[in-house]
Amino acid sequence: MSTQPRIIEVRQNILKRNDELAKELRLRFQEAGVFVVSLVSSPGSGKTAFLEKTLTLLKERQYRPAALVGDLATDNDAVRLARSQTPVKQITTGTLCHLEAAMIQTALEDWNLEDLDFLFIENVGNLVCPSSYDLGENLRLVLLSVTEGEDKPLKYPTIFNSSDVAVVTKVDLADAVEFDWKAAETNIQAVRPGMPILRVSAKTGQGMDEWLASLPSGRRHSLEPE
Ligand SMILES: Nc1nc2c(ncn2[C@@H]2O[C@H](COP(=O)(O)OP(=O)(O)O)[C@@H](O)[C@H]2O)c(=O)[nH]1
Ligand SMILES: [Mg+2]
């Protein structure tokens, strides 16, 4: 006797529940005027470094950003992100290879969304699991570092298809690893035609201005003069 149909049914129910919760979250974010960005990539692509730089620069520019970060274990990334002097919370998932909307909801319980302009969500480092789980974000970034090869989009098309923007990270190392820009761009566009591509280095700051300029600047709670 096969248990396969039962497993598929349970999986579909989990995804449906997640979608419903994500929809509720998206509405809450919209009502509070918070712009939510999630980040996905393989482990070590530079999500935390990019996010720490982003949080620091947004704070310097008088915005009020915050971050949630998911990992299987440790709060190492939250400790790194907290150096930006912005609110940060670690979500430890145990054996789970992705974040779910319910985890975001729980993590936000003691935060007042009205106090935030931007919320960033660093997903667990994985190019497979996170793709199916809507977190209520407005924008999903998929990061690809120059050190991990140009063919990631072809190998993991679903994560690129479920993301809005591709961010090529660690560009300061591009020459050293002979990164083939043309191949990377061709592969991204083959999987998701028209996908915007940003090139950044958290180490040198290259591309950070362009990235920040692509975010909505007129946040309702922005402290910046109109
Ligand atoms: N040279 C260089 N190294 C980077 C850059 N961004 C991250 N790294 C390094 O890459 C490693 C993994 O980065 P991390 O932010 O932890 O990646 P995550 O696992 O995706 O969150 C760390 O050793 C970082 O210092 C970058 O822009 N340039
Ligand atoms: Mg990280």
Side-chain angles (χ1 to χ4, degrees), residues 41-49 80 122 170 172-173 201-203:
S41 80
S42 46
S45 298
K47 293 180 296 301
T48 308
R80 285 169 62 194
E122 178 181 335
K170 310 191 192 180
D172 56 288
L173 300 176
S201 166
K203 192 181 165 117

Side-chain angles (χ1 to χ4, degrees), residues 129-146:
C129 319
S131 59
S132 317
Y133 292 86
D134 185 0
L135 302 178
E137 67 271 65
N138 299 105
L139 192 72
R140 185 180 288 186
L141 309 181
V142 57
L143 278 65
L144 167 72
S145 63
V146 297

Side-chain angles (χ1 to χ4, degrees), residues 26 29-30 34-38 119 134-140 164 216 219:
R26 192 167 280 113
F29 294 144
Q30 191 186 343
V34 191
F35 190 80
V36 183
V37 181
S38 75
L119 175 67
D134 185 0
L135 302 178
E137 67 271 65
N138 299 105
L139 192 72
R140 185 180 288 186
D164 303 294
R219 304 311 308 151

Side-chain angles (χ1 to χ4, degrees), residues 10-83:
V10 171
R11 197 174 140 70
Q12 281 170 345
N13 284 340
I14 291 171
L15 285 175
K16 186 161 174 266
R17 178 74 191 125
N18 186 78
D19 279 351
E20 286 164 0
L21 270 181
K23 213 185 267 180
E24 286 172 28
L25 277 175
R26 192 167 280 113
L27 201 64
R28 271 182 65 198
F29 294 144
Q30 191 186 343
E31 281 170 3
V34 191
F35 190 80
V36 183
V37 181
S38 75
L39 293 84
V40 292
S41 80
S42 46
S45 298
K47 293 180 296 301
T48 308
F50 173 71
L51 192 46
E52 183 183 349
K53 192 92 181 160
T54 299
L55 294 171
T56 304
L57 291 172
L58 282 173
K59 192 176 161 79
E60 273 173 26
R61 296 175 190 195
Q62 311 299 315
Y63 288 100
R64 298 172 301 172
L68 302 175
V69 51
D71 270 307
L72 266 61
T74 83
D75 65 352
N76 292 355
D77 280 4
V79 170
R80 285 169 62 194
L81 294 174
R83 293 187 299 216

